[in-house]
Structure formats: C-alpha cells, structure tokens
Amino acid sequence: MDKLIISGGGPIDGEIRISGSKNSALPILAATLLSETPMCIGNMPHLNDITTMLALLRSMGLSVTLNEKMSVEIDANTIREYTAPYDLVKTMRASILVLGPMLARYGEANVSFPGGCAIGSRPVDIHLRGLEAMGAEIDVDEGYIRARCKGGLKGAHFFMDTVTVGGTENLLMAAVLAEGKTVLENAAREPEIVDLANCLQAMGAQIEGVGTATLTIHGVKSLKGCRYDVMPDRIETGTYLTAAAATRGRVKLKDTREDILESVLLKLEEAGAFINTGKDWIELDMKGNRPKAVSLKTAPYPAFPTDMQAQFTAMNAVSEGMGTVIETIFENRLIQIHELNRMGANIKLEGNTAIITGVERLKAAPVMATDLRASASLVIAALVADGDTVVDRIYHIDRGYECIEEKMQLLGANIRRVPG
Ligand code: UD1
C-alpha cells in the first residue's frame, strides 16, 4: 500500500488548477445509462472512484472510450447486463447511483446492497422507497437489491425524510423517464445535483425547481446524448484553501468557482484569511498570520459541508484559541481526531462535537488514513508538524484528490509518495 511522506515546513504558496468534481462526475456517468445516443463527458477528474464507475459501466456492456484529456464517450446501447456486482459496489458505495437510471430505462436493475463504511451506517432506504413510490417492485435477495418495473415507472409525489444527496440523484434520474409528473420534496440542493440536473436537461429532460428543495419532473419518452463538462470540485478547492490557511500561506486556485463555496469561504475569512475571487479563480492569503480557531456545524447545502469538516478540524488544531466542530450528517465522522491527537493536537470528543484547543505546532507521527476527507486532514496536519509524517493507507486519498502530491509540490510542500 502506497504511503505519503510529508516533511512539515513553512507556508504553502503558489497556483494550481482545480480538477472536475468527483461527486458531480459520478452521477453524471450513471446518467449516461439514460441516453439513446452516445454522450461525451468532459473535465473528468483522474481518480480511482471514476475508474471504478467506468469499470462498472463497462462490466454492464456499455461502450466506454476515455481519451487522454479525461473526456469520456459512452454509448449505453450495447448494455448486456443489468447488474452492479458486489466486487465493484464494495469499493465504491456511489455505485448505487446506477439503480434509478437502469430501472427507468430498462425496467430492471440488480445492485449489490452497499454496506456501511468507516464514517457511518449509510442506509439507502430513501432511494428504495422513492423508487417503490414510482411503481418499482424491490426485493433484497442474496445481498442484492433486485428492482423491476414491468410497465415502466410512473410519476409520484415523494417526500424524503432526510436530505440525501445520493437519494435525490437516484430518484431524479429515475423520474426523468417516468410517465407523468414526479415531485420530489425535501430534495438535497448541493451544487452537484444542480450539475446533474443541468446535464439531464441538456439531454432533453424537463425539470423545474433546480437548486431548490422541491424538484418537479415531467417525464419524457426518451433522452438523447449531449456533450457536458462537469463542474469544478468544490471540496478539492476548499481543501487547498484550508491547507493554505493552516500553514499561514497563500494559494491561487484556477478553474474553480466561489459561488458554490460560500459557507466555507466565510469561515476561512472568520479564521483571518484574506480572500479574493474572480470569475473562475479564488485566492487566499494569510499574510503570514496564524489562523484563529472557528466553530462550525455541518448540515446540508448551503450550510457548511460535512466533506470539509475534517480539514477545518486540522486547521483549528494549530489555530489561536478554541473552536467547536459539530458533525450532524454522519455518526462516526470525527474519527480523524484520534490521529490528530497522536500528532500533539488537543481535541476532546463529546458525542458528535469536537472541542479543539489550538496548539502552536504539531509533531510528526506515523498516521493512518481512515476515509477520504479524514485523510486530507492528516495531510494538512502533516504540513504544520515538525518532522516527517508518514500517512499510510492513502488509497483513500486517491479516491478523491487528483495528483495530490504533484499539486502540493507545486505549492512548495515537501511531500512524496512511496510505493508500499
Ligand atoms: C454524498 C457525497 C458525500 C457527502 C454526502 C453528504 C457523493 C458520491 N458522496 O454521499 O461525499 O459526504 O453526500 O453531503 O456525492 N441517509 C438515509 N437514508 C438514505 C440515504 C441517506 O438515512 O436512503 C442518510 C445518511 O445515512 C446520512 C445522510 O442521510 O446520514 C446524508 O447522506 P447522503 O446525502 O445520502 O450521502 P451520500 O449521497 O451517500
């Protein structure tokens, strides 16, 4: 297993390009199942999760051609299998996103039941109940969700008990080909859902209320292919901004957007960062100052994203003062604090709240990545630690951060990958 060795040092400083969004690319790739003609998706990030989704589509028989510029052409007409097998689903829970589109277009879908993961139990009950409301018959058999709809899906009025990103995406992709009108209430409003809806509309779908908590979808008979570029990755953007803030540095990020990161940018300003933005760039400068600890609570968009919580916990660990971080989305998502404490942080855990008292510097230690965003927090902590930190199990990082060591090196960090 590869490891990262990071020698903590001074501030990071420089310019890099932000990659396409992983969490937007995954549902958009699943949406290609809905198209009657080939689709071309551009600005795809080069990440393990994307490779897994492409492998899944290929395993079902779709024709997938990836070019060196990370554009992918997909033709769903060659589909042979309506199954997402255990081997692929177990490596990536987002495989569940093929359920809605496969059922809507082909009337049949078998998807291995995704288990829990390090950050929590992560059920998919809302995905399944929404599809049932649209007329699907669903059984769970030998670890597989087996869904059928003989006469096609029918529009429905469905209220989601919990705001769920994946649930909203799955049901939206099912509803675009369902007969009649579907209303999805208490829908998630994350920018990635807007990106998916924009792509579906470019394919001919009729969706009202995009970006709001009520999505109204008028089903159409068929969808055609289009060319679509996925949006920039707001979590990658936020991670590099937070790394610059924690190290008292400066960073300019290109090919990104500030309008999808408001809650994060406000918190960074509260921490003392000077932020400038343009149409497609964001610059953060700490002017050499130590950040001030901030308090935050995660919640669905537009509130503070759970996917940025770990990085802020690491920044708070070396900030001036005390901050509390409350995690409300996933039950076990503060696990990174144990590794941060091993590096000399002063963090107490009370239920779903981390109480962080900043220390001047951390100390290097061997640490282990436990999930994607927790790993990013360990990289940030290592940048502000004295000595060489070895981060093990970095396959978690490779799921979500394109070329992290190259990008960090461009910013002047002393980081290298050693094959395990
Ligand atoms: C997506 C993101 C992930 C992010 C999360 C929350 C992708 C590929 N992943 O994950 O990075 O951290 O949104 O912003 O886009 N829930 C239920 N029943 C369901 C579905 C969800 O109870 O049927 C609960 C979950 O356990 C969790 C909460 O709803 O507590 C939110 O989960 P959800 O928004 O569905 O997360 P994902 O789509 O899996």
Side-chain angles (χ1 to χ4, degrees):
M1 261 182 267
D2 288 4
K3 296 179 175 61
L4 285 178
I5 301 180
I6 301 162
S7 311
I12 60 168
D13 190 345
E15 282 186 23
I16 49 168
R17 184 191 162 264
I18 291 301
S19 304
S21 161
K22 167 179 89 73
N23 286 356
S24 183
L26 291 173
I28 287 174
L29 288 174
T32 63
L33 281 159
L34 294 163
S35 175
E36 298 216 331
T37 54
M39 301 256 309
C40 186
I41 313 296
N43 199 31
M44 296 241 301
H46 189 43
L47 296 171
N48 285 356
D49 272 10
I50 299 298
T51 311
T52 306
M53 184 57 100
L54 295 177
L56 173 58
L57 296 176
R58 272 200 193 101
S59 79
M60 297 192 299
L62 277 70
S63 144
V64 176
T65 320
L66 187 65
N67 75 16
E68 67 291 348
K69 288 191 179 143
M70 285 309 282
S71 280
V72 63
E73 193 170 304
I74 300 181
D75 185 353
N77 287 309
T78 50
I79 192 165
R80 315 181 288 270
E81 302 271 349
Y82 305 116
T83 300
Y86 173 70
D87 280 352
L88 292 169
V89 179
K90 79 171 186 220
T91 58
M92 187 185 67
R93 303 184 82 262
S95 310
I96 186 79
L97 292 172
V98 299
L99 178 63
M102 222 183 338
L103 188 61
R105 170 117 189 258
Y106 307 100
E108 179 182 344
N110 310 297
V111 177
S112 175
F113 210 111
C117 67
I119 63 173
S121 60
R122 302 185 84 171
V124 290
D125 55 315
I126 299 168
H127 304 230
L128 304 189
R129 276 193 281 118
L131 293 172
E132 280 172 342
M134 289 185 221
E137 284 171 28
I138 298 180
D139 291 316
V140 177
D141 179 30
E142 295 182 340
Y144 275 78
I145 300 164
R146 300 196 190 279
R148 304 283 180 273
C149 60
K150 284 213 181 74
L153 291 173
K154 307 268 184 298
H157 196 128
F158 186 69
F159 184 92
M160 286 177 259
D161 297 338
T162 306
V163 178
T164 152
V165 174
T168 303
E169 291 165 345
N170 233 337
L171 298 180
L172 175 61
M173 288 189 279
V176 289
L177 285 185
E179 189 188 323
K181 179 168 108 173
T182 299
V183 181
L184 299 175
E185 302 228 47
N186 200 27
R189 292 180 281 162
E190 267 65 5
E192 292 77 13
I193 293 173
V194 174
D195 210 31
L196 170 65
N198 288 341
C199 176
L200 292 168
Q201 283 173 321
M203 295 163 73
Q206 293 187 14
I207 309 166
E208 291 160 19
V210 172
T212 75
T214 305
L215 293 170
T216 304
I217 302 114
H218 300 277
V220 294
K221 288 226 154 34
S222 66
L223 294 168
K224 59 180 185 341
C226 67
R227 166 148 193 130
Y228 194 83
D229 286 334
V230 302
M231 60 181 261
D233 197 306
R234 68 190 165 106
I235 305 303
E236 189 196 26
T237 305
T239 301
Y240 284 103
L241 293 175
T242 312
T247 61
R248 310 181 190 190
R250 186 199 73 93
V251 77
K252 184 168 182 182
L253 305 176
K254 294 182 287 189
D255 294 339
T256 187
R257 277 168 50 187
E258 48 106 16
D259 59 314
I260 48 179
L261 266 162
E262 216 172 330
S263 58
V264 172
L265 296 181
L266 286 171
K267 282 289 162 200
L268 288 167
E269 280 179 335
E270 203 181 311
F274 296 87
I275 295 176
N276 267 317
T277 60
K279 192 174 141 280
D280 60 357
W281 56 268
I282 303 178
E283 185 176 35
L284 177 146
D285 194 347
M286 289 304 283
K287 301 198 192 282
N289 295 323
R290 184 180 177 193
K292 294 190 263 302
V294 291
S295 292
L296 61 92
K297 182 175 174 177
T298 66
Y301 190 85
F304 193 91
T306 174
D307 285 351
M308 281 303 303
Q309 173 266 105
Q311 300 86 320
F312 266 66
T313 305
M315 179 185 76
N316 273 347
V318 289
S319 294
E320 197 182 319
M322 199 184 83
T324 52
V325 168
I326 307 176
E327 171 59 49
T328 73
I329 307 284
F330 293 110
E331 63 262 38
N332 196 24
R333 213 182 192 176
L334 287 162
I335 25 178
Q336 76 281 0
I337 71 162
H338 305 297
E339 296 299 270
L340 294 176
N341 281 343
R342 291 184 53 247
M343 296 176 73
N346 180 358
I347 311 177
K348 292 195 176 63
L349 187 60
E350 284 180 12
N352 65 344
T353 303
I355 302 154
I356 306 135
T357 308
V359 297
E360 189 74 30
R361 272 190 90 72
L362 297 173
K363 293 185 214 74
V367 288
M368 204 147 63
T370 45
D371 79 65
L372 171 55
R373 306 304 168 185
S375 332
S377 78
L378 297 177
V379 172
I380 293 174
L383 293 172
V384 284
D386 293 324
D388 294 349
T389 298
V390 181
V391 185
D392 203 351
R393 299 205 179 164
I394 58 162
Y395 55 86
H396 290 293
I397 300 188
D398 294 333
R399 288 187 39 224
Y401 290 94
E402 182 172 47
C403 303
I404 190 162
E405 69 271 29
E406 283 90 345
K407 288 190 182 186
M408 281 292 184
Q409 280 161 4
L410 281 172
L411 299 176
N414 189 340
I415 175 171
R416 67 199 155 91
R417 179 182 292 256
V418 279

